Amino acid sequence: MLQTMSTIDMRSLSSEARHARRLEVVRLRSTGLSFVAIASQTGLSRTGVFDICKRHNAAGADALRDKPNGRKTGHGRLLLPAQESLVCALIAEHTPEQIGPAGLLWTPAGVAQLIEQRLGISLQRRAMRLYLARWGYVRHAPMERSRARAAPALQHWLDCDLPAIEVRARLEAAEIHWAHEGALPAAASDLPRPAPSELRLIDTGRALGEEFVLSTVTNKGSSCWMTLQGPLDAAACIDFLRRLTEGRKHKIFLMLDRMRVRMPVHQTEAVVEWLAEHDELVEVFCLPDHEAVQVRPDHSRAALLPSSVERKGHS
């Protein structure tokens, strides 16, 4: 006698369970059982069993798996891959004043302006930040730190030094910026390389080589960055500081949370002198030695964790 069970709603099962149930239907059908008998054994309706067998006969084993849910990667994007590649190359090899957008450092608004000027495509703020996150340029503002896994030196800095700095910032109406220096984030690997005629709109006079990005993000999430041809040195640091402070109405408290150089560049004589001459514009604060604490400024509240895993862009 055939064992019976109540009818099962396939939608209540996981994708793996649905696939296993369909495989069982096909196996039982291959033994010569009727649709009614298979339905009784598997808990499916006779119509459901018939549909599974029909799909398998028409398209084979592939028909037994669920179709992918959600939108395909790239669905709804306004920029074509070639256009994304061009924009990435332009902002990597030029500063804003060289190719049109306002400002001395790149910002999401500046990149959006560049896209509208070059491609005639207008992007809303959220869409622009999604593109920049995919390309690896956007870091989140500091929101909430994970103190549980922080090294003792960092724990002390978070508990004692940072609150005092934040109080000073409020009293002096200063902006807190979190600085980060690292290798230039590559755009998605499937993006084609733009032709030299498209890219070299202006001769920057710089030799191509390994590129790095020096960026800051505020507690409110405002970000800006500059591309460096090679690791950060004193000249590049001063150039960035000059661009960062140009036209600012408020003093900047600059938190150095990760500087991947052998000698801290902010301690070189040239940078120290520049900071002393412009102390009304910017003041530098150093987190504990990054050799002991790896900083992940790409997560919320600077996510000061003992890990060096880099953030991946969204698909």
Side-chain angles (χ1 to χ4, degrees):
M1 180 179 295
L2 295 175
Q3 183 179 1
T4 61
M5 62 174 68
S6 58
T7 302
I8 296 176
D9 184 357
M10 289 282 276
R11 293 172 298 181
S12 66
L13 302 177
S14 66
S15 178
E16 294 77 8
R18 288 194 295 269
H19 183 245
R21 193 61 59 94
R22 294 178 188 125
L23 288 175
E24 179 68 7
V25 167
V26 172
R27 186 190 67 80
L28 292 174
R29 183 59 178 169
S30 68
T31 65
L33 289 181
S34 67
F35 296 136
V36 174
I38 296 172
S40 179
Q41 289 196 37
T42 59
L44 303 177
S45 66
R46 179 186 179 281
T47 301
V49 170
F50 176 79
D51 288 342
I52 291 172
C53 294
K54 181 179 178 181
R55 287 163 54 186
H56 182 263
N57 291 336
D62 290 341
L64 301 181
R65 294 195 175 275
D66 290 336
K67 295 181 179 179
N69 293 326
R71 297 179 296 181
K72 295 182 179 179
T73 300
H75 176 78
R77 289 181 186 162
L78 296 176
L79 300 180
L80 298 175
Q83 293 173 323
E84 289 189 57
S85 179
L86 176 61
V87 173
C88 286
L90 287 174
I91 62 179
E93 299 194 14
H94 300 83
T95 54
E97 75 270 19
Q98 291 175 325
I99 51 177
L104 297 177
L105 294 171
W106 285 111
T107 64
V111 177
Q113 184 180 352
L114 173 67
I115 292 172
E116 187 166 6
Q117 289 176 352
R118 299 292 177 183
L119 305 176
I121 299 174
S122 178
L123 296 179
Q124 298 297 320
R125 180 178 179 181
R126 181 175 182 275
M128 187 68 263
R129 293 190 68 83
L130 287 175
Y131 274 111
L132 289 172
R134 176 173 180 252
W135 300 337
Y137 281 104
V138 169
R139 294 163 48 212
H140 296 299
M143 286 290 182
E144 190 174 299
R145 292 181 176 79
S146 177
R147 286 177 161 81
R149 292 185 288 174
L154 178 60
Q155 182 75 53
H156 180 272
W157 189 89
L158 292 171
D159 293 339
C160 302
D161 297 358
L162 181 59
I165 294 172
E166 291 174 335
V167 169
R168 276 196 56 202
R170 288 193 294 270
L171 293 176
E172 300 180 28
E175 284 186 344
I176 294 179
H177 287 240
W178 299 81
H180 176 71
E181 182 261 341
L184 177 66
S189 59
D190 59 338
L191 297 180
R193 179 69 181 174
S197 59
E198 294 179 302
L199 177 59
R200 299 284 178 196
L201 300 181
I202 294 180
D203 182 8
T204 61
R206 300 184 305 185
L208 290 179
E210 188 176 10
E211 294 177 323
F212 293 78
V213 170
L214 180 55
S215 63
T216 72
V217 60
T218 69
N219 285 351
K220 296 182 179 180
S222 300
S223 58
C224 60
W225 68 91
M226 181 179 76
T227 306
L228 312 172
Q229 297 298 317
L232 180 65
D233 58 18
C237 182
I238 292 174
D239 185 30
F240 180 81
L241 291 171
R242 178 185 61 80
R243 292 172 180 272
L244 180 64
T245 57
E246 182 74 26
R248 294 274 184 178
K249 297 181 179 179
H250 302 285
K251 185 175 181 177
I252 291 176
F253 284 2
L254 187 61
M255 308 293 181
L256 301 185
D257 57 7
R258 188 182 185 186
M259 293 292 161
R260 294 191 289 191
V261 291
R262 292 183 179 179
M263 177 180 179
V265 70
H266 62 280
Q267 295 180 7
T268 60
E269 183 178 355
V271 176
V272 170
E273 290 180 357
W274 191 95
L275 289 171
E277 294 173 359
H278 300 83
D279 58 352
E280 77 284 358
L281 298 177
V282 60
E283 188 171 345
V284 170
F285 299 87
C286 301
L287 274 70
D289 186 1
H290 78 276
E291 293 296 329
V293 180
Q294 291 291 338
V295 181
R296 296 181 60 188
D298 47 289
H299 284 191
S300 59
R301 192 59 171 170
L304 307 178
L305 306 179
S307 171
S308 59
V309 179
E310 296 294 338
R311 177 180 182 272
K312 296 183 178 179
H314 73 287
S315 62

